[in-house]
């Protein structure tokens, strides 16, 4: 019961000690607000050409932390549902999450995850550890398993800056499967329909100790290669000024690269591709 329904007084659920998990609080008192727990009727499977899906996202570590990026396209079957979807979001000051999969559920999950981390910090008085954040997101994905089996899967990519990690290992990357399996990745990773091509590009382009500009260009080259071979992935749209989202997480926190910077790097990369359509060679 909310305050408005109770004469302006908070309901008992707000005054009773509970866990530091906001999603568990909702599950106990307002489960209808948890979209990830709604199951379609038995035998019903969501048609893939009727639900917008996000595609390729990637992350890589670099000298100052970790970079996370994503293309902007959402598709419904063979149709482009949206050209400027934002798939990369800050989760808190030192964590970011990107997603591939069912757009509506993914955006709801991102918002719930942001509240989850804020709620934990307010209740416990300290921020959750990076490992704790990864496990908490894995649990939220597991709660969506029923819908994932009916065709509404969400596959996030989590990155964070871990101040307690050894020097050179502070940027961390976590991937997940639709059942909530948690996997930490080294150096780089990609998810979504274009991920095999993006990972192939990053294998060629990644090297330890890159600066921010080098890491951003590597990410943009990888997304370009993904778009080159995967029709569901969108490359930089120069004419419409729609560029991939590139963000970094360092000791100073989360920062999304300004659009003029991303645009300049995208145009530089596209110009390079005029003479080398397959992209740059591996850096020795």
């Amino acid at each position: 019961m909310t305050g408005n329904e109770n004469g302006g007084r908070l309901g008992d659920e707000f005054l009773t000690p509970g866990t530091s998990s906001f999603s568990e609080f909702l599950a106990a008192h307002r489960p209808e607000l948890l979209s990830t727990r709604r199951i379609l009727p038995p035998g019903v499977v969501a048609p893939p050409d009727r639900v917008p899906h996000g595609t390729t996202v990637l992350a890589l570590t670099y000298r100052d932390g970790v970079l996370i990026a994503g293309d902007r396209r959402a598709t419904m079957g063979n149709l482009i549902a949206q050209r400027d979807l934002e798939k990369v979001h800050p989760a808190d000051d030192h964590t970011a999450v990107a997603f591939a999969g069912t757009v509506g559920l993914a955006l709801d999950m991102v918002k719930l995850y942001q509240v989850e981390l804020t709620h934990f910090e307010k209740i416990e008085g300290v921020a959750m550890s990076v490992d704790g954040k990864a496990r908490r997101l894995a649990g939220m994905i597991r709660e969506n398993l029923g819908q994932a089996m009916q065709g509404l899967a969400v596959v996030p990519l989590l990155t964070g800056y871990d101040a307690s990690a050894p020097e050179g290992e502070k940027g961390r990357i976590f991937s997940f499967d639709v059942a909530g399996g948690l996997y930490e990745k080294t150096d780089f990773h990609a998810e979504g329909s274009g991920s095999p091509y993006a990972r192939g590009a990053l294998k060629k382009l990644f090297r330890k100790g890159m600066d921010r500009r080098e890491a951003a260009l590597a990410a943009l080259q990888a997304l370009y290669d993904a778009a080159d071979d995967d029709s569901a992935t969108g490359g930089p749209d120069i004419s419409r000024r729609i560029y991939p989202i590139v963000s970094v997480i360092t000791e100073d926190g989360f920062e999304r690269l300004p659009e003029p910077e991303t645009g300049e790097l995208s145009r530089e990369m596209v110009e390079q591709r005029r003479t080398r359509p397959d992209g740059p060679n591996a850096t020795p």
Side-chain angles (χ1 to χ4, degrees):
M1 183 176 293
T2 65
N4 290 336
E5 296 166 335
N6 198 24
R9 184 177 67 85
L10 289 175
D12 291 340
E13 64 269 26
F14 294 98
L15 305 174
T16 304
T19 72
S20 56
S21 170
F22 185 74
S23 58
E24 289 180 8
F25 173 79
L26 281 184
H29 301 287
R30 296 292 297 275
E32 70 276 9
L33 296 179
L34 288 170
S35 59
T36 55
R37 293 194 178 187
R38 298 172 192 158
I39 307 299
L40 298 176
V44 176
V45 177
D49 59 346
R50 293 292 183 270
V51 181
H53 278 71
T55 47
T56 309
V57 294
L58 59 84
L60 64 149
T61 59
Y62 74 109
R63 184 179 62 196
D64 299 323
V66 61
L67 178 147
I68 185 166
D71 81 307
R72 307 294 296 276
R73 179 173 292 177
T75 58
M76 288 194 302
N78 65 321
L79 301 178
I80 297 176
Q82 187 173 348
R83 300 179 187 275
D84 59 352
L85 178 65
E86 299 202 0
K87 305 174 188 176
V88 179
H89 301 266
D92 65 9
D93 290 343
H94 289 88
T95 316
V97 60
F99 65 83
T102 307
V103 172
L105 285 177
L107 290 173
D108 278 354
M109 187 178 291
V110 168
K111 292 174 184 176
L112 181 60
Y113 186 57
Q114 291 168 333
V115 176
E116 183 83 4
L117 299 186
T118 301
H119 181 78
F120 178 93
E121 187 168 351
K122 289 183 180 297
I123 295 296
E124 299 293 337
V126 294
M128 195 181 297
S129 68
V130 176
D131 290 293
K133 294 173 186 177
R135 289 192 296 269
R136 189 62 60 92
L137 184 54
M140 294 174 65
I141 298 167
R142 196 171 300 117
E143 292 170 359
N144 188 53
L145 180 59
Q147 293 190 91
M149 295 298 99
Q150 293 179 303
L152 299 175
V154 177
V155 183
L157 182 62
L158 180 71
T159 58
Y161 183 88
D162 189 351
S164 65
E167 196 63 38
E169 301 176 14
K170 296 185 183 296
R172 300 181 65 184
I173 302 169
F174 299 91
S175 71
F176 308 84
D177 60 37
V178 295
L182 171 61
Y183 314 94
E184 182 163 8
K185 301 298 182 178
T186 303
D187 296 334
F188 60 85
H189 189 64
E191 292 286 0
S193 61
S195 60
Y197 313 108
R199 286 198 296 269
L202 288 173
K203 282 182 181 179
K204 176 178 69 173
L205 299 174
F206 177 84
R207 60 181 177 80
K208 291 185 179 296
M210 290 189 293
D211 62 26
R212 187 172 100 160
R213 190 176 193 279
E214 292 170 329
L217 274 173
L220 292 171
Q221 294 278 11
L223 288 172
Y224 191 102
D225 280 347
D228 201 31
D229 287 296
D230 173 47
S231 62
T233 302
D237 192 334
I238 304 298
S239 61
R240 292 187 177 93
R241 295 182 177 85
I242 299 174
Y243 310 109
I245 293 176
V246 181
S247 299
V248 295
I249 312 171
T250 66
E251 183 179 10
D252 296 326
F254 175 91
E255 179 190 356
R256 175 170 166 170
L257 269 62
E259 189 165 295
E261 181 178 354
T262 309
E264 178 189 347
L265 293 173
S266 296
R267 289 189 294 272
E268 177 182 330
M269 177 198 63
V270 170
E271 188 61 34
Q272 292 173 357
R273 293 277 179 150
R274 294 184 189 278
T275 55
R276 295 190 61 90
D278 295 329
N281 292 327
T283 303

